[in-house]
Amino acid sequence: KNQVEQSPQSLIILEGKNCTLQCNYTVSPFSNLRWYKQDTGRGPVSLTIMTFSENTKSNGRYTATLDADTKQSSLHITASQLSDSASYICVVREAGGGADGLTFGKGTHLIIQP
Amino acid sequence: DAGVTQSPTHLIKTRGQQVTLRCSPKSGHDTVSWYQQALGQGPQFIFQYYEEEERQRGNFPDRFSGHQFPNYSSELNVNALLLGDSALYLCASSLPGSSGNTIYFGEGSWLTVV
């Protein structure tokens, strides 16, 4: 069964600090991996999409890494801001999986404290 | 350019009632997917519509049904509501074809069943 596990479940850091969120998956065959940011009570917003051949992709202060061999990804946030407080969801697409070929993690709930 | 829009944003229904949620996809998108997201969980795929037909369906009972209109907008209907149907219902739109296309989510409809 395809699974996406995220850690930690929740994280509290001080404004200005860096943090790294982890995502491990068992989805196979692999197509791509996505990170989404979801503010409380809002819809998810795409941060990055990474395919098998991409190791690193950045979007401003967000940098995602992918190791397709170990089936691990990370999302690094640099110089955190209060607006970074949100849930971060890792989503993995199964190749040829069609519309329901997306497996969602439960997310990491990140709180930035002033 | 309007993104994915959903209505209503919040609603409260009584157990046994029926509910209809609405979604307009992002301009230029003709594929609409619906997801259910319980508190603290990742979104769960309900079904996807393309060319006014249900293309794929997740593991949800027949109480969940949908429709897509010629203008690509979509409705999600849930009959005989149960307390467990309380969740955030997300609509997502995308372009067909490449599995690498970005999926855009709406802000969601919060359904509370009492």
Side-chain angles (χ1 to χ4, degrees), chain A residues 61-104:
Chain A
R61 294 180 296 103
Y62 301 102
T63 299
T65 66
L66 173 65
D67 185 334
D69 292 330
T70 62
K71 297 187 177 180
Q72 295 179 324
S73 175
S74 66
L75 180 68
H76 185 74
I77 304 175
T78 304
S80 61
Q81 300 176 357
L82 297 178
S83 59
D84 293 331
S85 294
S87 286
Y88 291 83
I89 302 175
C90 176
V91 187
V92 182
R93 178 178 281 283
E94 176 185 356
D100 66 350
L102 292 174
T103 302
F104 289 76

Side-chain angles (χ1 to χ4, degrees), chain A residues 9-75:
Chain A
Q9 279 190 318
S10 61
L11 180 63
I12 302 174
I13 64 172
L14 293 175
E15 185 180 10
K17 298 296 186 182
N18 304 334
C19 66
T20 300
L21 315 179
Q22 300 291 341
C23 173
N24 297 335
Y25 62 92
T26 62
V27 176
S28 182
F30 174 84
S31 176
N32 58 59
L33 183 146
R34 306 156 187 252
W35 282 95
Y36 281 86
K37 176 186 178 186
Q38 185 173 25
D39 292 319
T40 301
R42 310 290 295 274
V45 175
S46 178
L47 294 176
T48 64
I49 301 175
M50 301 179 70
T51 60
F52 185 88
S53 59
E54 296 174 298
N55 300 119
T56 304
K57 183 168 278 190
S58 292
N59 178 359
R61 294 180 296 103
Y62 301 102
T63 299
T65 66
L66 173 65
D67 185 334
D69 292 330
T70 62
K71 297 187 177 180
Q72 295 179 324
S73 175
S74 66
L75 180 68

Side-chain angles (χ1 to χ4, degrees), chain B residues 13-78:
Chain B
K13 288 288 188 178
T14 304
R15 191 172 45 183
Q17 283 189 315
Q18 178 265 344
V19 68
T20 297
L21 308 178
R22 296 175 177 81
C23 170
S24 292
K26 182 177 171 61
S27 178
H29 288 186
D30 54 10
T31 302
V32 174
S33 300
W34 286 93
Y35 294 84
Q36 180 194 66
Q37 185 177 22
L39 273 176
Q41 303 293 315
Q44 298 292 316
F45 174 74
I46 302 175
F47 42 54
Q48 183 183 77
Y49 277 84
Y50 172 68
E51 292 188 340
E52 302 180 49
E53 290 196 359
E54 183 181 291
R55 186 158 71 170
Q56 204 156 358
R57 187 179 183 92
N59 188 25
F60 278 80
D62 292 342
R63 298 186 297 110
F64 290 77
S65 63
H67 188 78
Q68 186 178 35
F69 299 93
N71 66 353
Y72 308 128
S73 66
S74 177
E75 287 182 350
L76 165 65
N77 301 292
V78 187

